[in-house]
């Protein structure tokens, strides 16, 4: 297969391109970026995880976006299935982030209305890299109490997580989610 339109361009460094992009936050909320990998039939996972779907180019863009964002947002099912850990940010990316006025590593935020998060995830093991857990004010109290010891738990909604309120909340931690 050959690409005809637009004409192919020289190799682009996704880290440099994403770091150089100007992302003015809209009034009242942060800039939100989205990255999704799917199969031809629309599947977003193979065997419960997305890794097998991505090419090296997909993984380079994914990594570049995470190196640029102030906050990385993921759903609880993804966090559990992918066995999330605190962000792994290279020393070079940490230095570039500091030069842009950002924290050395992005914060990780997880959406979970039910707080059905595996308490043994490495994500919850580093007190210096506490994730943010976005939930509801009526989430199970026992689960909320357990998560508060290892994460910053924030209620944004009743019955279900209010995504608009969640995005506004995450804007308190940076201008790019």
């Amino acid at each position: 297969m050959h690409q005809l339109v637009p004409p192919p361009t020289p190799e682009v460094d996704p880290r440099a391109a994403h770091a150089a992009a100007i992302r003015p936050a809209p009034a009242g909320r942060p800039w939100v970026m989205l990255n999704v990998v799917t199969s031809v039939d629309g599947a977003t996972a193979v065997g419960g995880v997305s890794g097998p779907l991505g090419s090296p180019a997909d993984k380079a863009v994914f990594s570049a976006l995470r190196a640029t964002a102030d906050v990385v947002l993921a759903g609880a099912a993804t966090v559990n299935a992918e066995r999330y850990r605190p962000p792994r940010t290279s020393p070079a990316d940490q230095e570039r982030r500091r030069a842009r006025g950002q924290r050395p590593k992005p914060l990780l935020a997880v959406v979970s209305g039910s707080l059905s998060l595996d308490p043994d995830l490495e994500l919850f093991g580093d007190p210096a890299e506490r994730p943010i857990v976005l939930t509801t004010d009526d989430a199970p109290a026992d689960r909320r109490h357990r998560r508060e010891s290892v994460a910053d738990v924030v209620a944004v909604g009743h019955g279900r997580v209010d995504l608009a309120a969640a995005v506004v909340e995450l804007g308190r931690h940076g201008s790019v989610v």
Side-chain angles (χ1 to χ4, degrees), residues 9-10 16 23 41-42 51 56 62 69 76 92 119 121-122 129 134 150 169 171:
T9 58
R23 295 182 177 91
D41 65 356
F62 179 81
L121 287 174
E122 217 176 302
E129 297 291 332
L134 302 162
V150 294
E169 171 64 28

Side-chain angles (χ1 to χ4, degrees), residues 48-160:
V49 295
S50 63
L53 288 174
S55 70
D58 293 321
K59 291 173 182 168
V61 169
F62 179 81
S63 180
L65 290 171
R66 286 191 168 209
T68 303
D70 295 303
V71 180
V72 173
L73 177 62
T78 299
V79 167
N80 284 330
E82 302 274 351
R83 309 298 303 162
Y84 266 47
R85 300 181 277 194
R88 293 168 291 178
T89 308
S90 72
D93 280 335
Q94 288 183 42
E95 188 53 41
R96 285 188 279 269
R97 291 175 62 80
R98 282 186 194 97
R100 291 192 302 264
Q102 293 176 291
R103 294 170 28 96
K105 296 180 181 180
L107 290 172
L108 187 62
V110 183
V111 175
S112 179
S114 67
L115 293 175
S116 296
L117 292 161
D118 182 344
D120 296 324
L121 287 174
E122 217 176 302
L123 169 65
F124 299 117
D126 186 350
E129 297 291 332
R130 287 172 62 95
I132 300 165
V133 176
L134 302 162
T135 191
T136 62
D137 57 15
D138 56 341
D142 59 326
R143 290 181 185 171
R144 182 180 179 123
H145 179 70
R146 285 194 304 265
R147 299 309 171 267
E148 287 174 333
S149 66
V150 294
D152 296 331
V153 179
V154 180
V156 285
H158 185 82
R160 64 182 304 167

Side-chain angles (χ1 to χ4, degrees), residues 155-177:
V156 285
H158 185 82
R160 64 182 304 167
V161 172
D162 178 336
L163 191 54
V167 168
V168 169
E169 171 64 28
L170 295 178
R172 296 181 36 213
H173 301 279
S175 62
V176 178
V177 174

Side-chain angles (χ1 to χ4, degrees), residues 7-22:
T9 58
E11 189 79 19
V12 173
D13 174 11
R15 268 190 163 54
H18 284 287
I22 297 170

